[in-house]
Amino acid sequence: MTAAGAATAALAPALTACGAETPGGDTKLKLVAADYGDNAANSSKKYWSSLAKAFESKNKGIKVDVQVYSWTEVDKKVADMVAAGKAPDLAQIGAYADFAAAGKLYSADQLLSIPTQADFISGIARAGEVHRVQYGLPFVSSTRLLFYNKKLFAKAGVAKAPESWDELQAAAVKLKAAGVQIPFGLPLGPEEAPAEMMMWILSAGGGYTDKNSTYTIDSEANVKAFKWLRDELVGKGLVGPGDPARTNRQDVFDAFTRGEVGMLNGHPTLMQQAKAKRIDFDTAPLPGYAGKAKATMGVADWMMAFRQNGHREQIGKFLDFVYSKDNVLSFCTDYRLLPVTTAASEAMRAERANADLWPFLGQLTNAEFYPADKTSWAKVSKTVKEKIGMAVRPGGDPESILSEIQREATATENTGR
């Protein structure tokens, strides 16, 4: 789940209701939210419309106006609203740190009841903190697993899911020999390159930052990961005919659902897409450099509340409702995502209908998240999208490219931008 900016068409209508009072004197809250559906039939708009009606029926005097935008434009929509002095009351988007650093957000303890705040899974809640104060409220999360096509594995004589990079490469060699078009899908294009990068560097024992939250993008482990990708996967023709630097996540997901990909790293949404296309697949923990990876990547999307319109009490009531167990579980079940609250997670584990999500839930306790608390992360992520794919091209220099990203990250961090 990633967010990217886009043009601001239809912005004016979105601004007029921000912080408005209805003719009857009710307080109108405006929420701008991301769309988790992949077509009009399953748009998140339906969920939010139903939720708003249920909330309004129990909370007279508060109305909720929700506008839903695609992930390619929602972050930019909110940023433009804030820049124009027309912040929504609530935004459910991909990043919060810039707004928190600018003093534009309410903190969690200013909004939520104690039971609601205490119900957040601690590791995810900490990812929403800036200077140890929580401003980002996790909305949903996901982890990553290795997906593999069981039919193609059988055709290639691959007996089990790989647990190490050497086993992954050996399986990819067999898949290629069996005529599989894309033995391993490697999307390092601009859609979600930071996620694909994070999975590989974690599997190598590295990461974006160290325990002190200092960027370590050009660390020895990270360089090792990209040299291995360049030499052992891309260089040996095991990622298909496309250029990984120009290959987006959804491109690879679509190819997997067509039966063209042997293996790839994926999140829970891919299960729905693959099942719809009748692909016989299974999942396994991500392979690591010398065995199963010790950590996987976790992703959280964020809810935040803006101070501008002064509706703290009404926002708090609405958020307590949003984060009730049944509402969290309903959204996550519909979109095959992971709950961010303990109560909903326990309920999901108890429902056999959600058994396909249990392996992802099991990874959540060891998941590591983007350094979303850094105001510099948005710019660093953009730089990764632009440059990291070049590191695995024939003749590419991972050490040089990672060092360049590190220098830009350090400079951005030092200037506070």
Side-chain angles (χ1 to χ4, degrees), residues 167-251:
E167 290 181 4
L168 185 149
Q169 190 217 46
V173 169
K174 289 182 178 180
L175 289 163
K176 182 180 180 181
V180 176
Q181 185 175 346
I182 304 174
F184 188 92
L186 186 65
L188 290 171
E191 181 186 358
E192 205 181 31
E196 190 71 19
M197 175 179 173
M198 188 169 179
M199 284 181 273
W200 286 101
I201 60 181
L202 286 175
S203 297
Y208 281 117
T209 60
D210 61 18
K211 293 181 179 179
N212 297 319
S213 196
T214 300
Y215 282 117
T216 55
I217 293 170
D218 61 351
S219 70
E220 183 179 347
N222 295 354
V223 172
K224 175 178 68 177
F226 277 87
K227 284 184 176 179
W228 188 89
L229 288 171
R230 179 196 64 189
D231 298 338
E232 303 300 329
L233 281 189
V234 179
K236 295 185 177 179
L238 301 177
V239 298
D243 177 1
R246 298 179 180 274
T247 302
N248 283 325
R249 178 196 63 186
Q250 194 58 50
D251 298 333

Side-chain angles (χ1 to χ4, degrees), residues 114-128:
I114 292 174
T116 299
Q117 193 172 359
D119 196 29
F120 285 128
I121 296 171
S122 59
I124 305 175
R126 283 195 298 272

Side-chain angles (χ1 to χ4, degrees), residues 158-171:
V158 181
K160 65 181 183 68
E163 296 184 359
S164 69
W165 289 2
D166 285 346
E167 290 181 4
L168 185 149
Q169 190 217 46

Side-chain angles (χ1 to χ4, degrees), residues 98-123:
D98 280 350
F99 300 128
K104 296 183 180 296
L105 302 181
Y106 288 115
S107 63
D109 59 2
Q110 291 176 310
L111 297 166
L112 304 176
S113 66
I114 292 174
T116 299
Q117 193 172 359
D119 196 29
F120 285 128
I121 296 171
S122 59

